[in-house]
Amino acid sequence: MPSNTYEQARFLGMIFEQVPIGIAIAYNYEPESSDPANVIINPRYEQITGRSKEELIGLGWAKITHPGDLEKALQNFRRLQAGQIPMYAMDKRYIKPDGSIVWVHMIVAPFTLPNTEQKSHICLIQDITGHKAVEKALHESERSKSVFLSHLPGLAYRCNKDRDWTMQYVSEGCFGLTGYPPESLLYNRDLSYNDIIAPEYRELLWEEWERILPKRLPFKYEYEIVTATGERKWVLELGQGVYNEQGEVEALEGIVLDISDRKAMEDTLKYNSEHDSWTGLYNRNYLISLLKKDLTQKKGLKKALIGINLGSIHLLTINYGFHYSQNLIKKAAEVLSRYCKENCLLFHTRENRFLFYLLDYKDKNELVAFSKTIVEALEGVFVTDRISGGIGILEIAPDESEVNIEEGLLRRVLIASERSVSLLGKDFEVCFCDEELEAVINRERDIVEALNYIAAEDYTNNELYLQYQPVMDIKTGFICGFEALARLRTKKLGPVSPVEFIPLAEKTKLILPIGEKVIIQAFSFLNRLTAQGYNDIAVSINISAIQLLNPGFTGRLLELVREMQVNPENVAIEITESVFVSDFDYINNIIGKLRAAGFRIAIDDFGTGYSSLAREEELAVDCIKIDKHFIDKLLGQDLSKVITGNIISISHKLGHCTIAEGVEHEKQLQHLKEYGCDRVQGYLISKPLDEEDAISFLRNNYTEKLC
Ligand code: C2E
Ligand code: CA
Ligand code: CA
């Protein structure tokens, strides 16, 4: 501290020069102008205002004060001068020479000099432009926050963490969302927020907050509220805990948004993904997801599936068009849906298939009774259209796994329903998918497995072999040919009838490689016969439609004829009438080619299928094999009604040879002789024989050139 007066004055002068506050002292000062001699200004003052001492004095402070602050500044100054106030402080803006603004905090107070009457004052200014910017930003953010909150499509809140969710703050949007004004919720004045939450969510929300708060996780939950008008609304709440320094939860803050539009859209999407658009019934996807859920969650309850198969409806589509059959399906859906109950749901699983899913039913009898009701209902719908259908019932075992729904459960119901269609083929029949059917399904799988194995190129076993059934010429009584009949015998399956395995081979298309193996074996048999001197014995081979329609068939057959050097004239090809259903002209054309190559063609099972006598004349064939059905009729009493004789005579008129199959009794043979039938085949002559036996049989019943 300076000791003498001079030192002191110098020291104070230094402070005046260096202090980071602008100081101006004026004597007899007027705002507009002043005498320079009466004003002292420190450098900081010049720096803050951006103007020199001379400039400041010349202009006077009023001129450099921002117009927005001037009035207030002048007012303060006048009051100070008038002695109305002892001092004043204010924030105001100065305009710098470059036009920019500087904010200052200003304190103005009287300044009394000893021994003078002059009115003086001191003015201190501090640059607060920085603060002002922060303040402005803060203000702006507060403002935008409040704008945001008031426009929020929902409510923003701050509440206590208690069971009422006692609100400390609720934004304006509360009214739009809940129908209650925000004040009514504040501190539970009229009701609590918890009262607005739909009851079933209250506990869940509490639990979710309890879960996330200790972990300081954000809160996110979708639930429903009940508004003032009693309407339910879907909301999404996003929130977080507010923690104090000790880490305790002080409050909860967040927003509650209206998501009813999104929910409605989601509901529509969900509806579409779970429903069939044509019938409005649940679809297959939903069935699968429901079963998956129920198989794990409803283990204790009995479950059954009842599949309804309207397979034959496609025939109507062929005849009357798509719309016709579609409308029938809709009608069926309407009728069936009348039988839906809480524990009995209906699904439209595929174009021609419906399915009931029954939960918690009593017993098998209930299922049978229910199926019968369904049958009656469907017969009502299809009475004029003669549509038949199958109904398959599957009781789901309690330990059924949820991983195998499509390939396991649904496939089994389908098989049961298909089986009842194909087995019974009349109106609507019911078939249980029980152990018996399971056994059938398993056996079919085993057969297909065996066929697959046999179909392989390098297959050499004799599980697939042929038997030969002699064909006798009626006039001579001697054997003139054999029909080759396929046989399957495996260790696992034992002997399997062709009635069983041929349809499976056809279904799996394995008939193509297997049929070729049959042809090769039949050709070797034929070669054996010729080698033994039987040059005029024919061997007939059964050929499936699938083989005949396979584009490579004729070529391959001719190739085999060349390779194995057989005479095609000794080969007859038996095809069933049903192949003509697919494309009459196409098939007739193939047959023409085969005949041109020398093969003989026989129509098998004649009279049972499609073509009937009406089109027989168009068929370019050599032989007609009259089905056993007509031969059996020859055992009856009233032969006048039997058309067997007519078939034979028409066939002859058209130049076809006739063969009667399934002849078991002498009486039948006699009648066939009377009608002039050419050949017979049946147990009366011989059962199908193994190769060796067939050759010995031939040896005993053959006369050259008579056949
Ligand atoms: P299909 O062509 O009508 O053959 C005649 C069936 O009647 C044979 O049955 C034969 O054993 C049986 N049969 C012959 N005479 C009598 C009789 O007097 N009484 C009775 N009750 N039955 C008699 P199989 O061998 O069981 O063949 C059944 C069907 O399997 C055949 O009917 C044929 O459609 C099919 N099939 C057999 N082998 C082949 C083959 O190699 N290829 C194709 N595509 N189908 C074959
Ligand atoms: Ca045949
Ligand atoms: Ca037949």
Side-chain angles (χ1 to χ4, degrees):
M1 194 60 175
S3 53
N4 60 39
T5 320
Y6 169 73
E7 284 289 314
Q8 232 168 32
R10 216 170 72 90
F11 181 67
L12 289 172
M14 270 160 56
I15 294 177
F16 184 73
E17 294 293 319
Q18 291 176 34
V19 71
I21 289 175
I23 304 174
I25 301 169
Y27 314 97
N28 281 338
Y29 182 81
E30 277 300 317
E32 270 79 24
S33 66
S34 196
D35 180 356
N38 291 345
V39 179
I40 55 171
I41 287 172
N42 78 344
R44 181 64 183 162
Y45 206 108
E46 295 178 308
Q47 200 190 340
I48 291 173
T49 55
R51 297 175 192 270
S52 68
K53 199 194 296 181
E54 291 72 28
E55 219 183 331
L56 285 169
I57 295 167
L59 287 168
W61 63 259
K63 286 220 173 72
I64 62 165
T65 296
H66 189 278
D69 301 327
L70 188 60
E71 198 187 321
K72 179 91 184 149
L74 284 172
Q75 197 184 20
N76 281 334
F77 190 68
R78 301 257 179 254
R79 290 174 70 195
L80 181 80
Q81 276 186 325
Q84 290 167 351
I85 46 171
M87 59 163 289
Y88 68 88
M90 69 180 291
D91 291 347
K92 72 169 210 181
R93 286 161 287 182
Y94 277 133
I95 300 167
K96 287 183 159 186
D98 63 2
S100 65
I101 277 164
V102 58
W103 270 100
V104 295
H105 181 64
M106 167 184 279
I107 298 170
V108 183
F111 191 72
T112 320
L113 288 168
N115 311 323
T116 170
E117 286 297 300
Q118 282 181 335
K119 279 185 185 163
S120 308
H121 69 268
I122 181 167
C123 169
L124 306 174
I125 59 167
Q126 200 182 354
D127 185 347
I128 56 161
T129 312
H131 295 257
K132 280 286 172 190
V134 172
E135 202 176 89
K136 193 176 165 212
L138 204 68
H139 178 76
E140 183 53 36
S141 101
E142 279 299 320
R143 192 192 60 81
S144 56
K145 201 161 95 189
S146 86
V147 168
F148 170 71
L149 290 180
S150 60
H151 287 87
L152 194 75
L155 73 85
Y157 67 85
R158 181 182 169 101
C159 71
N160 297 342
K161 193 205 152 209
D162 59 28
R163 284 285 183 163
D164 287 327
W165 311 112
T166 304
M167 290 292 165
Q168 302 170 13
Y169 165 79
V170 184
S171 72
E172 284 301 312
C174 178
F175 185 72
L177 184 74
T178 66
Y180 296 103
E183 317 80 73
S184 64
L185 279 172
L186 279 181
Y187 298 98
N188 307 324
R189 194 189 76 186
D190 300 337
L191 78 169
S192 73
Y193 184 72
N194 200 50
D195 295 331
I196 296 178
I197 298 169
E200 67 268 34
Y201 296 100
R202 290 177 189 164
E203 193 59 31
L204 296 170
L205 287 169
W206 179 260
E207 282 166 13
E208 181 60 7
W209 276 109
E210 290 271 89
R211 185 183 75 79
I212 58 108
L213 282 173
K215 296 185 199 156
R216 297 191 174 227
L217 292 172
F219 178 86
K220 186 175 176 186
Y221 211 93
E222 289 178 8
Y223 56 92
E224 284 172 285
I225 57 167
V226 181
T227 68
T229 56
E231 169 206 2
R232 273 180 172 249
K233 239 184 210 178
W234 272 100
V235 294
L236 164 67
E237 182 171 341
L238 301 167
Q240 61 185 36
V242 180
Y243 302 84
N244 64 15
E245 278 168 15
Q246 287 75 50
E248 296 153 347
V249 177
E250 219 167 43
L252 310 175
E253 281 183 345
I255 48 175
V256 182
L257 302 169
D258 185 346
I259 54 163
S260 26
D261 287 353
R262 198 196 82 201
K263 275 282 170 190
M265 206 156 78
E266 277 176 8
D267 285 351
T268 315
L269 284 176
K270 188 161 174 279
Y271 183 89
N272 288 342
S273 81
E274 289 178 350
H275 287 77
D276 163 56
S277 59
W278 181 245
T279 58
L281 296 176
Y282 288 127
N283 62 19
R284 186 183 168 89
N285 285 347
Y286 182 59
L287 171 67
I288 293 169
S289 66
L290 186 66
L291 283 175
K292 250 185 203 144
K293 207 173 77 197
D294 284 5
L295 284 176
T296 47
Q297 293 176 6
K298 295 185 177 164
K299 272 195 188 307
L301 298 180
K302 279 184 158 206
K303 300 175 209 68
L305 301 175
I306 297 184
I308 300 158
N309 193 336
L310 305 176
S312 56
I313 218 160
H314 77 270
L315 293 174
L316 289 179
T317 312
I318 295 169
N319 291 329
Y320 302 111
F322 187 65
H323 284 291
Y324 187 84
S325 54
Q326 283 290 91
N327 280 330
L328 267 183
I329 286 179
K330 200 168 195 169
K331 223 160 103 188
E334 276 162 22
V335 169
L336 290 174
S337 60
R338 288 181 206 146
Y339 298 91
C340 287
K341 288 193 299 264
E342 193 192 335
N343 277 341
C344 176
L345 300 178
L346 177 64
F347 299 80
H348 188 204
T349 51
R350 286 272 190 256
E351 176 83 22
N352 302 336
R353 302 209 286 266
F354 292 93
L355 187 143
F356 277 102
Y357 168 42
L358 285 86
L359 191 67
D360 202 18
Y361 60 93
K362 214 166 94 218
D363 54 18
K364 239 182 172 140
N365 292 336
E366 188 184 328
L367 297 179
V368 175
F370 183 68
S371 303
K372 282 194 180 141
T373 318
I374 302 275
V375 166
E376 278 166 27
L378 285 174
E379 281 173 348
V381 175
F382 294 116
V383 68
T384 49
D385 293 287
R386 308 278 328 129
I387 286 292
S388 60
I391 294 188
I393 307 177
L394 170 75
E395 289 192 278
I396 300 176
D399 56 354
E400 187 68 52
S401 115
E402 78 278 7
V403 290
N404 203 17
I405 289 173
E406 283 197 78
E407 280 308 303
L409 294 180
L410 298 188
R411 211 188 109 239
R412 270 148 58 207
V413 192
L414 172 66
I415 290 171
S417 65
E418 272 186 345
R419 199 149 290 264
S420 56
V421 181
S422 59
L423 280 186
L424 306 141
K426 54 160 198 167
D427 299 333
F428 286 89
E429 288 295 338
V430 178
C431 174
F432 253 97
C433 183
D434 48 15
E435 277 155 28
E436 214 173 290
L437 182 62
E438 289 283 290
V440 172
I441 294 167
N442 288 341
R443 183 172 161 86
E444 284 186 356
R445 200 192 46 226
D446 290 345
I447 293 172
V448 170
E449 202 175 292
L451 292 175
N452 252 312
Y453 175 66
I454 290 166
E457 252 174 55
D458 54 358
Y459 165 83
T460 50
N461 262 338
N462 53 1
E463 288 160 330
L464 175 80
Y465 63 99
L466 300 184
Q467 279 194 323
Y468 302 93
Q469 187 174 34
V471 180
M472 186 186 85
D473 185 283
I474 286 192
K475 284 194 205 89
T476 64
F478 291 115
I479 299 307
C480 60
F482 290 96
E483 176 176 5
L485 293 159
R487 300 288 176 257
L488 173 70
R489 185 201 303 266
T490 71
K491 243 195 205 137
K492 188 171 175 186
L493 296 162
V496 184
S497 159
V499 178
E500 199 178 1
F501 75 81
I502 294 288
L504 288 174
E506 288 175 336
K507 210 156 106 183
T508 54
K509 293 265 185 347
L510 287 168
I511 192 70
L512 295 174
I514 285 173
E516 185 169 319
K517 284 176 204 277
V518 167
I519 294 170
I520 293 170
Q521 282 193 39
F523 280 7
S524 344
F525 176 66
L526 192 57
N527 280 342
R528 252 189 99 180
L529 294 179
T530 28
Q532 296 194 18
Y534 303 108
N535 292 315
D536 49 1
I537 295 290
V539 172
S540 59
I541 308 170
N542 293 286
I543 299 293
S544 291
I546 295 173
Q547 287 172 278
L548 202 68
L549 292 167
N550 187 32
F553 178 73
T554 319
R556 180 66 185 139
L557 193 66
L558 293 174
E559 206 173 281
L560 287 173
V561 163
R562 263 196 312 278
E563 274 173 25
M564 298 182 72
Q565 299 190 327
V566 287
N567 179 4
E569 281 172 22
N570 288 340
V571 179
I573 286 172
E574 292 191 10
I575 50 177
T576 53
E577 272 187 316
S578 56
V579 299
F580 294 97
V581 180
S582 45
D583 187 338
F584 190 93
D585 294 329
Y586 181 73
I587 298 284
N588 229 5
N589 181 28
I590 295 176
I591 289 172
K593 280 193 189 140
L594 291 172
R595 288 182 82 202
F599 296 101
R600 284 201 273 156
I601 309 293
I603 300 294
D604 209 351
D605 302 342
F606 189 84
T608 58
Y610 163 85
S611 71
S612 80
L613 285 171
R615 299 201 77 171
E616 198 210 329
E617 55 186 309
E618 292 177 49
L619 295 176
V621 300
D622 303 277
C623 274
I624 296 295
K625 287 190 88 168
I626 306 164
D627 191 70
K628 185 169 180 297
H629 170 79
F630 297 101
I631 310 305
D632 289 346
K633 296 257 183 233
L634 298 175
L635 293 171
Q637 299 303 316
D638 187 2
L639 281 182
S640 63
K641 290 201 182 112
V642 175
I643 61 158
T644 319
N646 298 343
I647 296 177
I648 294 168
S649 63
I650 293 174
S651 174
H652 279 164
K653 271 184 205 146
L654 294 168
H656 304 326
C657 152
T658 51
I659 305 178
E661 53 177 9
V663 180
E664 292 176 342
H665 303 279
E666 191 57 46
K667 187 178 168 191
Q668 293 167 318
L669 183 61
Q670 288 315 316
H671 287 304
L672 289 164
K673 266 187 187 162
E674 283 164 30
Y675 297 141
C677 183
D678 303 295
R679 295 170 194 177
V680 284
Q681 186 185 341
Y683 293 172
L684 182 67
I685 290 85
S686 165
K687 288 200 164 182
L689 303 167
D690 285 335
E691 199 167 314
E692 295 304 326
D693 297 338
I695 291 177
S696 351
F697 189 86
L698 178 61
R699 204 173 294 135
N700 299 330
N701 297 279
Y702 175 78
T703 300
E704 210 175 344
K705 301 258 163 23
L706 279 176
C707 196

